[in-house]
Amino acid sequence: MSKIALIGAGGKMGCRLTDNLKNSAYEMSYVEISPAGLERLAQRNITATSAEEAVPQADVVILAVPDIYIGRVAADLLPMFQPGAIVVTLDPAAAVGGHLPKREDITYFVSHPTHPSVFNWEEDKKRHFDYFGGITAHQAIVCALMQGPEEHYPIGEELAKTMYAPVTRAHRITVEQMAILEPGLAETFLGAVMFTMREAMDEVIKMGVPKEAVFDFFMGHINIDLALCFDQIPGGVFSDACYKAIQIGKPLIFKEDWKKVLDPEHVKYQVKIMTQLPS
């Protein structure tokens, strides 16, 4: 399984994968049609190949295209996939949303990076401040075999480790579990919490507290609070007064039923909204 066709190779995510795959042991074909994407490939001294030429010969086809277009692109490419081909998506949304076309003789494999942990530390400064991952900082990945023979899983995982390198470890989960992680946990829940944190900081600044003081105070407390909440300080606990403050704050900030954003059925609703084509 050495011939890889990367669809959307010149896109935002495609370029990240291109940079990691171009010097790998895989025999690569890069498919891109947008002028901007072709220009980004040219800057990397890469010549694009047509889908009609690359896909029928590919052992593995990577769909590095936005979620809202994956269904349309996969349907267009479906007749070109050779029997036994592995089709890789970079996100569970299209799979859970039912956008991947049916074909029994191909494999669907899904993988997504965790991004470097907030507790990650790299000795090299460039590595340390690679927030996204897949460039220089270490990160973990999650992988799922949606359909296909079991022997295709290690092939997909090994490719994912190259795509998202450097990788510390790979977690095998189901596609449904991956959707709970994203969008459910990482975007619908955590994204909303992060935006609310920023709004709270801005609100304090509006009250007249100097911006620099607010930023330093807030970021420092985020650091220590995360360390305490996620067991990074052996024996570390919040103060009794802080626990009392948390009990005051939670019912004011969160609805009692907030956990429904992690319910698998609600996650499917989130995916449906996120993958709708623009009208």
Side-chain angles (χ1 to χ4, degrees), residues 22-84:
K22 64 182 180 180
N23 296 319
S24 71
Y26 296 107
E27 183 180 337
M28 296 297 304
S29 294
Y30 305 90
V31 178
E32 180 58 61
I33 59 174
S34 75
L38 290 169
E39 174 60 27
R40 285 189 284 269
L41 290 180
Q43 292 170 0
R44 291 166 167 79
N45 297 315
I46 291 174
T47 301
T49 305
S50 69
E52 291 75 11
E53 180 180 353
V55 173
Q57 302 180 50
D59 301 310
V60 181
V61 179
I62 304 170
L63 301 179
V65 296
D67 289 333
I68 59 174
Y69 299 120
I70 283 185
R72 179 185 297 174
V73 171
D76 290 342
L77 298 178
L78 191 66
M80 303 183 201
F81 297 141
Q82 63 170 302

Side-chain angles (χ1 to χ4, degrees), residues 20 116 122 127 130 133-141 160-169:
N20 277 351
E122 303 276 359
R127 282 179 177 267
D130 172 16
I135 302 174
T136 56
H138 291 80
Q139 62 182 343
I141 58 174
K161 288 179 178 178
T162 304
M163 294 191 311
Y164 300 127
V167 171
T168 54
R169 54 188 171 181

Side-chain angles (χ1 to χ4, degrees), residues 170-273:
H171 303 280
R172 183 172 184 175
I173 58 177
T174 67
V175 172
E176 292 74 20
Q177 289 170 337
M178 198 181 299
I180 292 172
L181 293 178
E182 184 168 322
L185 180 65
E187 294 178 338
T188 310
F189 172 74
L190 188 57
V193 171
M194 291 294 105
F195 265 79
T196 304
M197 289 170 63
R198 176 58 190 261
E199 289 172 357
M201 188 182 79
D202 290 343
E203 191 65 22
V204 173
I205 293 170
K206 289 178 184 178
M207 295 176 182
V209 183
K211 181 178 180 179
E212 292 79 7
V214 177
F215 184 83
D216 288 346
F217 199 85
F218 201 37
M219 293 302 134
H221 280 75
I222 288 174
N223 189 36
I224 183 61
D225 288 355
L226 284 173
L228 291 172
C229 277
F230 295 98
D231 306 319
Q232 297 301 301
I233 302 175
V237 295
F238 288 98
S239 68
D240 291 341
C242 187
Y243 274 121
K244 291 178 181 178
I246 291 168
Q247 297 308 311
I248 293 170
K250 284 186 68 175
L252 290 173
I253 301 167
F254 297 102
K255 293 182 177 180
E256 289 186 3
D257 62 346
W258 68 265
K259 292 181 182 178
K260 73 178 182 182
V261 301
L262 303 176
D263 180 84
E265 288 305 311
H266 197 276
V267 169
K268 290 180 181 179
Y269 164 76
Q270 298 165 33
V271 168
K272 179 181 178 181
I273 297 301

Side-chain angles (χ1 to χ4, degrees), residues 110-143:
V110 188
S111 184
H112 196 74
T114 64
H115 305 300
S117 168
V118 67
F119 299 121
N120 190 45
W121 183 83
E122 303 276 359
E123 186 174 359
D124 179 78
K125 183 177 180 180
K126 182 180 179 182
R127 282 179 177 267
H128 186 76
F129 290 104
D130 172 16
Y131 295 113
F132 192 90
I135 302 174
T136 56
H138 291 80
Q139 62 182 343
I141 58 174
V142 290
C143 301

